[in-house]
């Protein structure tokens, strides 16, 4: 009887060791999988994003615009200084040729907005995107990469 109890205890110890080893291996695999996920899966997502241009394009100041805004109840004005980031020097030459057309388009777009629209960050960002799109329809050689507002003042009276 004592021998059977001893065998049962040894068998139980063997099962305990086996369970411990299996649990240890599962934890080790889970940890390795977690490390792989955090180190390599995030790199894959970063690579999926569009790469940023490695250099700044050609900058061109095109002036300051003082425009009436589209507010109905009050008189509102915006004073906006704009710098264009162009893709290359060819585009700069084309912008210089078409500058009156581009300035007219900028005035049209800005004057169609209300003061409450352009006062918000979202409104200015939408204005920036709309101006880029509008100017790029005027240009044939390359285009505008970005627009920078170097001055942006809105006044209501």
């Amino acid at each position: 009887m004592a021998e059977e109890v001893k065998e049962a205890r040894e068998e139980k110890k063997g099962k305990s060791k086996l369970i411990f080893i299996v649990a240890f291996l599962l934890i080790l695999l889970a940890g390795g999988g977690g490390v792989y996920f955090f180190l390599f899966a995030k790199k894959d997502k970063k690579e999926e994003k569009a790469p940023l241009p490695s250099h700044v394009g050609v900058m061109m100041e095109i002036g300051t615009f003082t425009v009436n805004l589209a507010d109905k109840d009050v008189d509102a004005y915006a004073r906006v200084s704009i710098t264009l980031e162009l893709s290359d020097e060819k585009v700069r030459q084309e912008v210089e040729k078409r500058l009156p057309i581009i300035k007219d388009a900028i005035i049209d777009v800005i004057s169609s907005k209300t003061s409450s629209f352009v006062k918000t960050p979202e409104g200015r960002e939408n204005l920036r995107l709309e101006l880029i799109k509008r100017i790029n329809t005027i240009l044939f050689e390359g285009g505008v990469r970005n627009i920078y507002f170097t001055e942006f003042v809105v006044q209501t009276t």
Side-chain angles (χ1 to χ4, degrees):
M1 180 90 161
E3 200 172 294
E4 290 176 10
V5 172
K6 191 176 181 182
E7 282 182 26
R9 284 185 185 168
E10 286 179 17
E11 191 175 310
K12 198 174 188 182
K13 278 186 181 181
K15 286 183 182 179
S16 295
K17 285 182 182 179
L18 182 63
I19 290 173
F20 178 74
I21 291 172
V22 169
F24 179 74
L25 289 175
L26 286 175
I27 291 172
L28 192 61
L29 283 172
V35 169
Y36 174 80
F37 176 75
F38 285 113
L39 292 178
F40 298 108
K42 286 188 178 184
K43 281 186 181 178
D44 295 341
K45 288 182 182 178
K46 287 179 184 175
E47 291 171 3
E48 289 175 11
K49 292 180 183 177
L52 295 174
S54 60
H55 66 284
V56 176
V58 176
M59 295 292 187
M60 180 178 183
E61 278 189 47
I62 58 168
T64 300
F65 300 85
T66 304
V67 215
N68 293 325
L69 295 174
D71 291 82
K72 293 181 181 176
D73 300 334
V74 294
D75 289 333
Y77 307 94
R79 181 178 169 92
V80 182
S81 296
I82 295 177
T83 300
L84 302 177
E85 181 181 359
L86 308 171
S87 51
D88 57 34
E89 195 59 41
K90 280 185 182 177
V91 180
R92 179 188 192 90
Q93 293 169 358
E94 186 178 6
V95 167
E96 288 172 355
K97 287 179 189 174
R98 300 177 190 279
L99 197 55
I101 300 167
I102 291 170
K103 285 184 173 185
D104 180 62
I106 290 170
I107 291 169
D108 282 347
V109 171
I110 295 173
S111 66
S112 70
K113 307 300 177 199
T114 63
S115 61
S116 59
F117 178 81
V118 297
K119 284 182 180 178
T120 65
E122 297 83 15
R124 283 191 299 278
E125 185 61 28
N126 286 339
L127 177 62
R128 178 187 326 272
L129 296 174
E130 188 175 341
L131 286 170
I132 291 170
K133 184 177 178 182
R134 180 82 177 267
I135 293 170
N136 282 338
T137 61
I138 297 169
L139 301 174
F140 299 110
E141 300 277 332
V144 176
R145 280 187 182 176
N146 205 349
I147 290 180
Y148 300 100
F149 299 124
T150 54
E151 178 184 14
F152 203 105
V153 179
V154 176
Q155 180 178 351
T156 55
T157 57

